[in-house]
Amino acid sequence: MKAAIITIGDEILLGQITDTNSRFIARELAALGVETIEMFTVADEQAAIVRALDTAFLRADLLFITGGLGPTKDDLTKKTLAEYFHTPLVFNPQVYAWLEEMLLPRRGEVNAYNKSQAVLPQDCTILRNRKGTASGMWFEKDGRIAVSLPGVPFEMEHLMTEEVLPLLRKKCAEKLLAYRLLHVFNIPEAELAMRLQAFEEQLPAGVGLAYLPSVDEVKLRVTAKGSALPLLDGQTEKLKTCLQGLHFTEGETSGLVERLAAVFTQKKLTLASAESCTGGNIAHWITALPGASNYYLGGVVSYANQVKAGVLGVSTDDLKTHGAVSEPVAKQMAAGARRVTGADWAVSTTGIAGPGGGTPEKPVGTVWIGLAGPHGVEARKFLFSSTRERNIGKASAQALEWVLSAVLKTK
């Protein structure tokens, strides 16, 4: 199936808020094998909404509309959809009962504006919103589906998860795809494609392989449809065999931090970090996962040389002689972080993230990563890209992968 997403709101077009709804919907649809082919953002104007509906239905089987479902006169989505699908707006007693259940305990009344939200298109499936007062709506016409959801993100996400996706799985099961996702690290997309050329050539009809590169990994998506669905797991196992010797994980998320957390927790080890070029990104990745306090003691963002020297104990002579981006400094940063925190392991990053600051000897993308553990300290040099964001992401991922690999090899 192919989907389109229409976001309605002058506030988005004015740059006052960011549209996160489209991203969430597209990601959830992708998990079902539904391809999102278009996204539109239009004003709160009936003509603009109708034009977007007409355009989207030319190519899409499934259409999502978010926004414009509030109780005020400038919210036009409900009226527009009723006219578009040739169905009258009628008072719905069941929806009004839902509104009373939600509003009476908190406000003591359902005012006229809120009551108007119980007036909905007659010929649609009403989706109950337990997080707000605007109901979702599911329309079907000529084999196509349109789903209207509130623009408030947490309300939209609730309806999408609890109402829309189960209904979509039930009604469209035969049209949905299935896929498996692998995350491969530390190999360029082109090199990986060369390695997998023979695998791709043997794929049976109905099974496909897609490359999805990002800052710190290449995602491989194996997709099957129709009669090829039973072949999906077998082809995924063949792909894993082709990836032997590379660092890869399986699942919706890369699982790097999750695996790190599990290993450190299981082994009852602790970790610290000292970051320069990554600016605290490693600490952010680690602490974004609940339970990080079980193993992560803390980190130092030693951006300036005086912090490297004063807090981590890096030699000022080495800073002058070799520069901050060097092997001895990376080693001393890691050793200093381990000493200051008392952690079992510590990792450090120092490099030139860019876009400026590079030299012929140390171009942008040059990063030294240090690792200190029970058996000593070492450092490795990497040359990533010319893009600051990619350098920060790649250095962070490489640092954590090295820590994970080292701990797994240590008895």
Side-chain angles (χ1 to χ4, degrees):
M1 297 185 73
K2 297 184 184 300
I5 301 171
I6 299 174
T7 306
I8 300 170
D10 294 335
E11 64 276 14
I12 299 174
L13 293 172
L14 292 171
Q16 294 172 340
I17 65 171
T18 300
D19 170 28
T20 59
N21 288 340
S22 295
R23 179 180 63 186
F24 181 88
I25 293 171
R27 188 170 61 235
E28 294 299 310
L29 293 178
L32 293 179
V34 177
E35 178 187 5
T36 299
I37 57 171
E38 291 179 313
M39 294 181 182
F40 307 86
T41 300
V42 300
D44 289 293
E45 298 174 0
Q46 188 164 5
I49 298 171
V50 170
R51 283 196 301 272
L53 289 168
D54 286 340
T55 302
F57 270 135
L58 287 174
R59 297 182 59 205
D61 314 291
L62 181 60
L63 175 59
F64 283 84
I65 308 107
T66 67
L69 295 181
T72 56
K73 293 181 179 180
D74 61 333
D75 290 301
L76 302 174
T77 302
K78 181 171 60 178
K79 177 178 180 293
T80 302
L81 290 174
E83 293 180 9
Y84 191 84
F85 289 104
H86 306 293
T87 181
L89 289 169
V90 297
F91 179 76
N92 189 307
Q94 178 63 69
V95 174
Y96 185 71
W98 294 343
L99 292 172
E100 286 187 317
E101 182 182 330
M102 175 176 290
L103 296 176
L104 290 179
R106 294 187 299 177
R107 303 180 188 173
E109 65 171 351
V110 179
N111 63 35
Y113 278 109
N114 289 132
K115 185 176 181 178
S116 70
Q117 291 183 293
V119 178
L120 293 161
Q122 185 176 56
D123 298 322
C124 74
T125 299
I126 305 300
L127 308 174
R128 183 176 183 180
N129 182 1
R130 298 178 184 274
K131 301 293 183 180
T133 57
S135 297
M137 295 170 283
W138 175 294
F139 299 87
E140 296 186 32
K141 180 182 179 181
D142 300 328
R144 288 179 166 82
I145 297 170
V147 181
S148 177
L149 300 170
V152 180
F154 74 87
E155 294 184 30
M156 181 279 300
E157 292 174 11
H158 161 73
L159 273 168
M160 189 73 183
T161 303
E162 300 299 324
E163 300 287 337
V164 177
L165 294 178
L167 195 55
L168 192 59
R169 292 187 187 99
K170 179 180 179 181
K171 286 180 171 286
C172 307
E174 73 284 355
K175 297 181 181 179
L176 301 178
L177 307 178
Y179 70 89
R180 301 290 182 266
L181 205 58
L182 302 180
H183 306 256
V184 189
F185 305 95
N186 297 328
I187 184 171
E189 180 187 9
E191 185 178 334
L192 183 59
M194 289 287 292
R195 179 171 181 148
L196 298 179
Q197 183 176 354
F199 169 78
E200 290 192 74
E201 291 173 350
Q202 65 83 45
L203 284 172
V207 180
L209 177 67
Y211 295 78
L212 309 170
S214 60
V215 170
D216 57 348
E217 64 177 335
V218 178
K219 287 189 279 288
L220 297 174
R221 186 180 64 210
V222 187
T223 305
K225 57 184 177 181
S227 60
L229 284 172
L231 305 176
L232 179 58
D233 288 333
Q235 292 300 316
T236 303
E237 290 304 314
K238 285 186 179 181
L239 177 57
K240 291 179 185 178
T241 301
C242 296
L243 297 175
Q244 290 303 314
L246 298 177
H247 179 197
F248 68 92
T249 60
E250 183 176 8
E252 286 300 317
T253 62
S254 67
L256 176 59
V257 177
E258 287 88 345
R259 287 189 67 204
L260 187 82
V263 169
F264 268 79
T265 302
Q266 180 186 6
K267 292 179 175 288
K268 297 181 180 180
L269 298 172
T270 53
L271 175 66
S273 59
E275 302 181 63
S276 184
C277 63
T278 50
N281 193 56
I282 291 174
H284 168 66
W285 282 7
I286 291 173
T287 57
L289 186 70
S293 59
N294 291 332
Y295 72 99
Y296 183 64
L297 299 186
V300 177
V301 180
S302 52
Y303 220 63
N305 282 350
Q306 57 263 39
V307 178
K308 291 182 179 70
V311 177
L312 297 173
V314 176
S315 164
T316 54
D317 288 339
D318 284 335
L319 286 166
K320 292 177 182 178
T321 303
H322 303 285
V325 183
S326 63
E327 179 179 9
V329 170
K331 286 183 174 180
Q332 291 172 58
M333 287 174 63
R338 185 169 183 250
R339 182 183 63 255
V340 168
T341 62
D344 298 303
W345 292 84
V347 67
S348 68
T349 59
T350 179
I352 304 167
T359 66
E361 295 77 23
K362 298 178 182 180
V364 170
T366 302
V367 176
W368 278 94
I369 298 177
L371 182 63
H375 305 300
V377 186
E378 57 182 312
R380 296 176 182 174
K381 180 182 177 181
F382 299 88
L383 183 59
F384 296 124
S385 73
S386 59
T387 306
R388 184 177 185 84
E389 181 185 17
R390 289 181 63 83
N391 289 331
I392 293 172
K394 283 182 172 293
S396 301
Q398 183 64 68
L400 293 183
E401 288 163 26
W402 189 13
V403 172
L404 179 59
S405 176
V407 171
L408 290 173
K409 292 178 182 177
T410 302
K411 295 182 179 180

Coordinates of all heavy atoms in Angstrom, one line a residue, residues 292-362:
A292 N 20.4 3.8 32.8 CA 21.8 4.1 32.6 C 22.6 4.2 33.9 O 23.8 3.9 33.9 CB 22.0 5.3 31.7
S293 N 21.9 4.6 34.9 CA 22.6 4.8 36.2 C 23.1 3.5 36.8 O 24.0 3.5 37.7 CB 21.7 5.5 37.2 OG 20.5 4.7 37.4
N294 N 22.7 2.4 36.3 CA 23.2 1.1 36.7 C 24.7 0.9 36.4 O 25.3 0.1 37.1 CB 22.4 -0.1 36.1 CG 21.0 -0.1 36.6 OD1 20.7 0.3 37.8 ND2 20.0 -0.6 35.8
Y295 N 25.1 1.6 35.4 CA 26.5 1.3 35.0 C 27.3 2.6 34.6 O 28.5 2.6 34.6 CB 26.6 0.3 33.8 CG 26.1 0.9 32.5 CD1 27.0 1.3 31.5 CD2 24.8 1.0 32.2 CE1 26.6 1.8 30.3 CE2 24.3 1.5 31.0 CZ 25.3 1.9 30.0 OH 24.9 2.5 28.8
Y296 N 26.6 3.6 34.2 CA 27.3 4.8 33.7 C 27.5 5.8 34.9 O 26.6 6.3 35.5 CB 26.5 5.5 32.6 CG 27.2 6.7 32.0 CD1 28.4 6.6 31.3 CD2 26.6 8.0 32.1 CE1 29.0 7.7 30.7 CE2 27.3 9.1 31.5 CZ 28.5 8.9 30.9 OH 29.1 10.0 30.3
L297 N 28.8 6.1 35.2 CA 29.1 7.0 36.3 C 29.1 8.4 36.0 O 28.8 9.3 36.8 CB 30.5 6.6 36.9 CG 30.6 5.1 37.4 CD1 32.0 5.0 38.1 CD2 29.5 4.8 38.4
G298 N 29.4 8.8 34.7 CA 29.4 10.2 34.3 C 30.5 10.5 33.3 O 31.2 9.6 32.8
G299 N 30.5 11.7 32.9 CA 31.5 12.1 31.8 C 32.0 13.5 32.0 O 31.4 14.3 32.7
V300 N 33.0 13.8 31.3 CA 33.6 15.2 31.3 C 33.6 15.6 29.8 O 34.1 15.0 28.9 CB 35.0 15.2 31.8 CG1 35.6 16.6 31.7 CG2 35.1 14.7 33.2
V301 N 33.0 16.8 29.6 CA 33.1 17.4 28.2 C 34.2 18.4 28.3 O 34.1 19.5 28.7 CB 31.7 18.1 27.9 CG1 31.9 18.8 26.5 CG2 30.6 17.2 27.9
S302 N 35.4 17.9 27.9 CA 36.6 18.7 28.0 C 36.9 19.4 26.7 O 37.9 19.0 26.0 CB 37.8 17.8 28.4 OG 37.9 16.7 27.6
Y303 N 36.1 20.3 26.3 CA 36.2 21.0 25.0 C 37.5 21.8 25.0 O 38.2 21.9 24.0 CB 35.0 21.8 24.8 CG 34.5 21.8 23.4 CD1 34.1 20.6 22.8 CD2 34.5 22.9 22.6 CE1 33.7 20.5 21.5 CE2 34.1 22.9 21.2 CZ 33.6 21.6 20.7 OH 33.2 21.6 19.4
A304 N 37.8 22.5 26.1 CA 39.0 23.4 26.1 C 40.2 22.6 26.7 O 40.0 21.7 27.5 CB 38.7 24.6 27.0
N305 N 41.4 23.0 26.2 CA 42.6 22.4 26.7 C 42.8 22.5 28.2 O 43.3 21.6 28.8 CB 43.8 23.0 26.0 CG 43.9 22.4 24.6 OD1 43.2 21.5 24.2 ND2 44.8 23.0 23.8
Q306 N 42.4 23.7 28.8 CA 42.5 23.8 30.2 C 41.7 22.8 31.0 O 42.1 22.4 32.1 CB 42.2 25.3 30.7 CG 40.9 25.8 30.3 CD 40.9 26.6 29.1 OE1 41.5 26.3 28.1 NE2 40.1 27.7 29.1
V307 N 40.6 22.4 30.4 CA 39.8 21.4 31.1 C 40.4 20.0 30.9 O 40.4 19.2 31.9 CB 38.3 21.4 30.6 CG1 37.5 20.3 31.2 CG2 37.7 22.7 30.8
K308 N 41.0 19.8 29.7 CA 41.7 18.5 29.5 C 42.8 18.4 30.5 O 43.0 17.3 31.1 CB 42.2 18.4 28.1 CG 41.2 18.3 27.0 CD 41.9 18.2 25.6 CE 40.9 18.1 24.5 NZ 40.1 19.3 24.3
A309 N 43.5 19.4 30.7 CA 44.7 19.4 31.6 C 44.2 19.5 33.1 O 44.7 18.7 33.9 CB 45.6 20.6 31.3
G310 N 43.4 20.4 33.4 CA 43.0 20.7 34.8 C 42.1 19.6 35.4 O 42.3 19.3 36.6
V311 N 41.2 19.0 34.7 CA 40.3 18.0 35.2 C 40.7 16.6 34.9 O 40.7 15.8 35.8 CB 38.9 18.3 34.6 CG1 37.9 17.2 35.1 CG2 38.3 19.6 35.0
L312 N 41.2 16.4 33.7 CA 41.6 15.0 33.3 C 43.0 14.7 33.5 O 43.5 13.5 33.4 CB 41.1 14.7 31.9 CG 39.6 14.8 31.6 CD1 39.4 14.7 30.1 CD2 38.9 13.8 32.4
G313 N 43.8 15.7 33.8 CA 45.3 15.5 34.0 C 46.1 15.3 32.7 O 47.2 14.7 32.8
V314 N 45.6 15.8 31.6 CA 46.4 15.6 30.3 C 47.6 16.5 30.4 O 47.5 17.7 30.9 CB 45.5 16.0 29.1 CG1 46.3 16.0 27.8 CG2 44.3 15.1 29.0
S315 N 48.7 16.0 30.0 CA 50.0 16.8 30.0 C 49.9 18.0 29.1 O 49.6 17.9 27.9 CB 51.1 15.9 29.6 OG 52.3 16.6 29.3
T316 N 50.2 19.2 29.7 CA 50.3 20.4 28.9 C 51.4 20.3 27.9 O 51.3 20.9 26.8 CB 50.5 21.6 29.8 OG1 51.6 21.4 30.6 CG2 49.3 21.8 30.7
D317 N 52.5 19.6 28.2 CA 53.5 19.5 27.2 C 53.1 18.7 26.0 O 53.4 19.0 24.8 CB 54.7 18.8 27.8 CG 55.5 19.7 28.8 OD1 55.3 20.9 28.7 OD2 56.2 19.1 29.7
D318 N 52.3 17.6 26.2 CA 51.8 16.9 25.1 C 50.7 17.7 24.3 O 50.7 17.5 23.1 CB 51.1 15.6 25.6 CG 52.1 14.5 26.0 OD1 53.3 14.6 25.5 OD2 51.8 13.7 26.9
L319 N 50.0 18.5 25.0 CA 49.0 19.3 24.3 C 49.7 20.3 23.4 O 49.3 20.6 22.2 CB 48.1 20.1 25.3 CG 47.0 19.3 26.0 CD1 46.5 20.1 27.1 CD2 45.9 18.9 25.0
K320 N 50.9 20.9 23.8 CA 51.6 21.8 23.0 C 52.4 21.1 21.9 O 52.4 21.5 20.7 CB 52.6 22.6 23.9 CG 52.0 23.5 24.9 CD 53.0 24.2 25.8 CE 52.4 25.1 26.8 NZ 53.4 25.7 27.7
T321 N 52.9 19.9 22.2 CA 53.8 19.2 21.2 C 53.0 18.5 20.2 O 53.3 18.6 19.0 CB 54.7 18.2 22.0 OG1 55.5 18.9 23.0 CG2 55.6 17.5 21.0
H322 N 51.9 17.8 20.6 CA 51.2 16.9 19.7 C 49.8 17.5 19.3 O 49.3 17.1 18.3 CB 50.9 15.6 20.3 CG 52.2 14.9 20.7 ND1 53.0 14.3 19.8 CD2 52.8 14.6 21.9 CE1 54.1 13.7 20.4 NE2 53.9 13.9 21.7
G323 N 49.3 18.5 20.1 CA 48.0 19.0 19.8 C 46.9 18.2 20.5 O 47.1 17.1 20.9
A324 N 45.8 18.8 20.6 CA 44.7 18.2 21.3 C 44.2 16.9 20.6 O 43.7 16.0 21.2 CB 43.5 19.1 21.5
V325 N 44.3 17.0 19.2 CA 43.8 15.8 18.4 C 45.0 14.9 18.1 O 45.7 15.1 17.1 CB 43.2 16.3 17.1 CG1 42.7 15.1 16.3 CG2 42.1 17.3 17.4
S326 N 45.3 14.1 19.1 CA 46.5 13.2 19.0 C 46.3 12.0 19.8 O 45.5 11.9 20.7 CB 47.7 14.0 19.4 OG 47.6 14.3 20.8
E327 N 47.2 11.0 19.6 CA 47.1 9.7 20.3 C 47.4 9.9 21.8 O 46.6 9.4 22.6 CB 48.1 8.7 19.7 CG 48.2 7.4 20.4 CD 49.1 6.4 19.8 OE1 49.9 6.9 18.9 OE2 49.1 5.2 20.2
P328 N 48.5 10.6 22.2 CA 48.7 10.7 23.7 C 47.6 11.5 24.4 O 47.3 11.1 25.5 CB 50.1 11.5 23.7 CG 50.3 12.1 22.4 CD 49.6 11.2 21.4
V329 N 47.0 12.5 23.8 CA 45.9 13.2 24.4 C 44.7 12.3 24.6 O 44.1 12.3 25.6 CB 45.6 14.5 23.7 CG1 44.3 15.1 24.2 CG2 46.8 15.5 23.8
A330 N 44.4 11.5 23.5 CA 43.2 10.7 23.6 C 43.4 9.6 24.7 O 42.5 9.3 25.5 CB 43.0 10.0 22.3
K331 N 44.6 9.1 24.8 CA 44.9 8.1 25.9 C 44.8 8.7 27.3 O 44.2 8.1 28.2 CB 46.3 7.5 25.7 CG 46.5 6.6 24.6 CD 47.9 6.0 24.6 CE 48.1 5.0 23.5 NZ 49.5 4.4 23.5
Q332 N 45.4 9.9 27.5 CA 45.3 10.5 28.8 C 43.9 11.0 29.2 O 43.6 11.0 30.3 CB 46.3 11.7 28.8 CG 47.8 11.3 28.7 CD 48.7 12.5 28.5 OE1 48.7 13.4 29.3 NE2 49.5 12.5 27.4
M333 N 43.1 11.4 28.2 CA 41.7 11.7 28.5 C 41.0 10.5 29.0 O 40.2 10.6 30.0 CB 41.0 12.3 27.2 CG 41.5 13.7 26.8 SD 40.7 14.2 25.2 CE 39.0 14.2 25.6
A334 N 41.1 9.4 28.3 CA 40.4 8.2 28.8 C 40.9 7.7 30.2 O 40.1 7.4 31.1 CB 40.6 7.1 27.8
A335 N 42.2 7.8 30.3 CA 42.8 7.4 31.6 C 42.4 8.3 32.7 O 42.1 7.9 33.9 CB 44.3 7.3 31.6
G336 N 42.3 9.6 32.4 CA 41.9 10.6 33.4 C 40.4 10.4 33.8 O 40.1 10.5 35.0
A337 N 39.6 10.1 32.8 CA 38.1 9.9 33.1 C 38.0 8.7 34.0 O 37.2 8.7 34.9 CB 37.4 9.8 31.8
R338 N 38.7 7.7 33.7 CA 38.7 6.5 34.6 C 39.1 6.7 36.0 O 38.5 6.3 37.0 CB 39.5 5.3 33.9 CG 39.4 4.0 34.6 CD 40.0 2.9 33.8 NE 39.9 1.6 34.4 CZ 40.8 0.9 35.0 NH1 42.1 1.3 34.9 NH2 40.6 -0.3 35.5
R339 N 40.2 7.5 36.1 CA 40.8 7.8 37.4 C 39.8 8.7 38.2 O 39.6 8.5 39.4 CB 42.1 8.5 37.2 CG 42.8 8.8 38.6 CD 44.1 9.6 38.3 NE 43.9 10.9 37.7 CZ 44.2 11.1 36.4 NH1 44.7 10.2 35.6 NH2 44.0 12.3 35.9
V340 N 39.3 9.7 37.6 CA 38.5 10.7 38.3 C 37.2 10.1 38.8 O 36.7 10.4 39.9 CB 38.2 11.9 37.4 CG1 37.1 12.8 38.0 CG2 39.5 12.7 37.2
T341 N 36.6 9.2 37.9 CA 35.3 8.6 38.3 C 35.4 7.3 39.0 O 34.4 6.9 39.7 CB 34.4 8.4 37.0 OG1 35.1 7.5 36.2 CG2 34.2 9.7 36.3
G342 N 36.5 6.6 38.9 CA 36.6 5.3 39.5 C 36.0 4.2 38.7 O 35.7 3.1 39.2
A343 N 35.7 4.5 37.4 CA 35.0 3.5 36.5 C 35.9 2.4 36.1 O 37.1 2.5 36.1 CB 34.4 4.2 35.3
D344 N 35.3 1.3 35.8 CA 36.1 0.1 35.3 C 36.6 0.4 33.9 O 37.7 0.0 33.5 CB 35.2 -1.1 35.2 CG 34.7 -1.5 36.6 OD1 35.6 -1.8 37.5 OD2 33.5 -1.6 36.8
W345 N 35.8 1.1 33.1 CA 36.2 1.4 31.7 C 35.9 2.9 31.4 O 35.0 3.5 32.0 CB 35.4 0.6 30.7 CG 35.7 -0.8 30.7 CD1 35.2 -1.8 31.5 CD2 36.6 -1.5 29.8 NE1 35.8 -3.0 31.3 CE2 36.6 -2.9 30.2 CE3 37.5 -1.1 28.8 CZ2 37.4 -3.8 29.6 CZ3 38.2 -2.1 28.1 CH2 38.2 -3.4 28.5
A346 N 36.7 3.5 30.6 CA 36.4 4.9 30.2 C 36.8 5.1 28.7 O 37.8 4.5 28.2 CB 37.2 5.9 31.0
V347 N 36.1 5.9 28.0 CA 36.3 6.1 26.6 C 36.4 7.6 26.3 O 35.8 8.4 27.0 CB 35.2 5.5 25.7 CG1 33.9 6.2 25.9 CG2 35.6 5.5 24.2
S348 N 37.3 8.0 25.4 CA 37.5 9.4 25.1 C 37.4 9.7 23.6 O 37.6 8.8 22.8 CB 38.8 9.9 25.6 OG 39.9 9.3 24.9
T349 N 37.0 10.9 23.2 CA 37.1 11.4 21.9 C 37.7 12.7 21.8 O 37.4 13.6 22.6 CB 35.6 11.5 21.3 OG1 34.9 12.4 22.1 CG2 34.9 10.1 21.3
T350 N 38.6 12.9 20.8 CA 39.1 14.2 20.5 C 39.4 14.3 19.0 O 40.0 13.4 18.5 CB 40.4 14.5 21.3 OG1 41.0 15.8 21.0 CG2 41.5 13.4 21.1
G351 N 38.9 15.3 18.4 CA 39.0 15.4 16.9 C 38.6 16.7 16.4 O 38.3 17.7 17.1
I352 N 38.5 16.8 15.1 CA 38.1 18.0 14.3 C 36.8 17.7 13.7 O 36.7 17.1 12.6 CB 39.2 18.4 13.3 CG1 40.5 18.5 14.0 CG2 38.8 19.7 12.6 CD1 41.7 18.6 13.1
A353 N 35.7 18.1 14.3 CA 34.4 17.9 13.8 C 34.0 18.7 12.5 O 33.3 18.3 11.7 CB 33.3 18.1 14.9
G354 N 34.6 19.9 12.4 CA 34.3 20.7 11.3 C 33.2 21.7 11.5 O 32.6 21.8 12.6
P355 N 32.9 22.5 10.5 CA 33.4 22.5 9.2 C 34.8 23.1 9.0 O 35.5 22.9 8.0 CB 32.4 23.3 8.4 CG 31.8 24.2 9.3 CD 31.8 23.5 10.7
G356 N 35.2 23.9 10.0 CA 36.6 24.5 10.0 C 37.5 23.8 10.9 O 37.2 22.9 11.6
G357 N 38.8 24.3 11.0 CA 39.7 23.8 11.9 C 40.7 22.7 11.4 O 41.6 22.3 12.0
G358 N 40.4 22.3 10.2 CA 41.3 21.2 9.6 C 42.6 21.7 9.0 O 42.7 22.9 8.7
T359 N 43.6 20.9 9.0 CA 44.8 21.2 8.3 C 45.2 20.0 7.4 O 44.6 19.0 7.5 CB 46.0 21.3 9.4 OG1 46.2 20.0 10.0 CG2 45.6 22.4 10.5
P360 N 46.2 20.2 6.5 CA 46.6 19.0 5.7 C 47.0 17.8 6.5 O 46.8 16.7 6.1 CB 47.8 19.6 4.9 CG 47.5 21.1 4.8 CD 46.9 21.4 6.2
E361 N 47.6 18.0 7.7 CA 48.0 16.9 8.5 C 46.9 16.3 9.3 O 46.8 15.1 9.5 CB 49.1 17.3 9.5 CG 50.4 17.8 8.9 CD 50.3 19.2 8.3 OE1 49.4 20.0 8.7 OE2 51.1 19.5 7.3
K362 N 45.9 17.2 9.7 CA 44.7 16.8 10.4 C 43.5 17.4 9.8 O 43.0 18.4 10.2 CB 44.9 17.2 11.9 CG 46.0 16.6 12.6 CD 46.1 17.1 14.1 CE 47.3 16.5 14.8 NZ 47.4 17.0 16.2

